[in-house]
Amino acid sequence: MSDTHTEQASQQAELQKRLWAIANDLRGNMDASEFRNYILGLIFYRFLSERVQQYANQLLGHDEMTFADAYADEDVRDDLVEEITNALGFFIEPSALFDAMIDHIQKGNFDVEMLQDSITEVQSSTIGKESEGDFKGLFEDMDLSSTRLGNTVAARSELIAKVMMNLADIDFHENELQIDVLGDAYEYLIGQFAATAGKKAGEFYTPQQVSKVLSQLVTLGKEEVPTVYDPTMGSGSLLLRVGDYAKVAEYYGQELNGTTYNLARMNMLMHGINYSRFDLQQGDTLENDRFPDKTFDAVVANPPYSANWDPAGKLDDERFRKYGKTAPKSKADFAFVEHMLYHLKPTGTMAVVLPHGVLFRGAAEGKIRQYMIEHDNVLDAVIGMPANLFYGTSIPTVVLVFKKNRDRDDIFFIDASKEFEKGKNQNNLTDENVAKIVETYKSRKDVDKLAHDATLDEIKENEFNLNIPRYVDTFEPEPPVDVDKLVADIQSTDEQIDKLQSEFSGMLNDLEGKTPDAQAQLTKIKELFKNE
């Protein structure tokens, strides 16, 4: 590892450690998932403030005029505001910057209403601009009037001031890598909160190592992926991971949960993705497709497993019509797959995480699966993942890889269920595990007890049942039994028992007759021993 990467890793680890310590120390009795909205919101507000300050300094160059001076100058102000807003998508005036709030705290005249006004101004600055939709309601989950922070304005102000002072003590500018480091630290916090959120955690976070697998699968052999889409994007971590392996021009996503949708937009900006490069929408993907006419070069998703949905009338929907059947009301898994395939470009690649049931369940799901394989020929690979990888569920999952316009009709199976490192609460994929899965898929060769390239005839013989053990035999035979040794061991054990029985009888005889009570007890013991 290079010195630069070592420095970045060290900086990142220290930043993550300190941020999580702040979250734990200051949330008090508040539920972690609730406090998440405050600490992540405040980190994000500091980030926005510093982006404005830095850009203003660049504009002013070597002039002696500071940002505050320029803003105070009526001849300069309007042009300054317009330039910054057009570039960043928002504006924060000097008196409302994070550092200005810190100054108020140090002088003892800060209150949360002052902060609330400043945050409101961020959104107001985008009204009528191209970025308005990207910032609308962005801070609505950071309710500074909530009594959960304190019963009075003073109490709420005191708690928020403590959080802000702790954040102010962290230097985000140690080197030029701060954007990546800060963005990754922000995502680390999202993951840590997910680890404490129980069953609902899977709604907003896909573990980073799983995201790496999907992202590498859809970018293999590509330096550029113009567009990437996640129909159930959660906090956006999976979308962002694709950008680690290929140059992405535009990010698209949809998310049902409002709080999680806000997290995703913050996450994008925290990773240095300009508002003009992402289009994230809120809503039910299956009921209200916000990108009805768009197709994408890469599609990735970790949708809610076996979710309820309303299939009524869906065969009139272009996304689902051709399959002739709809996914069951209580299992929307294939509905998400159909939606994703509809939005995949002919030259694109798609990877989705699903429960194993999609491989073998019958009825409508069996018909849909058969159509995708036999008629459309879009299923490229089936990769069985280890159990207990995800927050909120311990079930094993499967990654399905889809491609359109394939020039082959085989399906490549990988059983990666044993490719993990056991953790305290969850199993983890190591970088080596991830690399092995991706390289196995890339080579597309049979590997004993790991991978098999199944022909269409094999799939048909199994009646389109894709259960992985039908194609990858991982059975480990028991070692042969040494009968002679087993007999010798039994004889030796019998001799030991006889010896112990003899010694025990001798001890009983030594004690016999000592007292009437002892005699009675010994008689009982002998009878029991004889019966045994």
Side-chain angles (χ1 to χ4, degrees), residues 85-117:
T85 306
N86 288 339
L88 302 182
F90 66 96
F91 181 80
I92 303 175
E93 63 182 76
S95 63
L97 294 171
F98 186 91
D99 284 349
M101 296 296 115
I102 294 297
D103 189 50
H104 285 299
I105 292 170
Q106 292 172 333
K107 290 177 179 177
N109 59 0
F110 168 83
D111 66 56
V112 289
E113 294 174 350
M114 184 185 301
L115 177 61
Q116 183 63 62
D117 289 342

Side-chain angles (χ1 to χ4, degrees), residues 153-282:
V153 172
R156 294 193 289 274
S157 300
E158 182 180 359
L159 176 58
I160 292 298
K162 284 182 181 178
V163 177
M164 293 180 71
M165 287 300 292
N166 273 272
L167 292 177
D169 285 341
I170 298 178
D171 185 1
F172 290 162
H173 306 285
E174 291 181 16
N175 58 45
E176 294 179 357
L177 300 169
Q178 78 258 16
I179 288 291
D180 288 337
V181 171
L182 182 57
D184 287 346
Y186 193 78
E187 196 169 318
Y188 165 83
L189 275 183
I190 294 173
Q192 288 298 101
F193 280 118
T196 65
K199 291 184 178 180
K200 291 188 176 182
E203 294 179 5
F204 65 86
Y205 189 71
T206 301
Q208 188 179 95
Q209 295 296 86
V210 178
S211 294
K212 285 183 178 180
V213 173
L214 270 68
S215 300
Q216 290 185 60
L217 290 173
V218 299
T219 57
L220 273 178
K222 301 174 183 177
E223 293 184 0
E224 296 185 5
V225 176
T227 57
V228 59
Y229 169 61
D230 184 343
T232 58
M233 66 182 176
S235 57
S237 59
L238 182 49
L239 273 176
L240 285 163
R241 199 62 54 208
V242 175
D244 288 345
Y245 299 100
K247 184 178 180 181
V248 175
E250 297 175 341
Y251 297 83
Y252 295 83
Q254 186 165 339
E255 170 58 37
L256 175 62
N257 182 281
T259 298
T260 310
Y261 165 64
N262 291 337
L263 272 183
R265 290 186 291 166
M266 291 183 186
N267 206 6
M268 283 282 162
L269 292 165
M270 290 285 288
H271 279 83
I273 310 298
N274 188 275
Y275 74 92
S276 61
R277 292 180 54 207
F278 65 82
D279 186 353
L280 308 184
Q281 300 289 332
Q282 185 183 0

Side-chain angles (χ1 to χ4, degrees), residues 27-32 34-35 38 143-151 156 159:
R27 70 182 176 89
N29 295 322
M30 191 181 297
D31 181 76
E34 188 177 0
F35 190 69
Y38 294 100
D143 183 4
L144 295 172
S145 64
S146 172
T147 55
R148 296 285 287 154
L149 292 173
N151 291 323
R156 294 193 289 274
L159 176 58

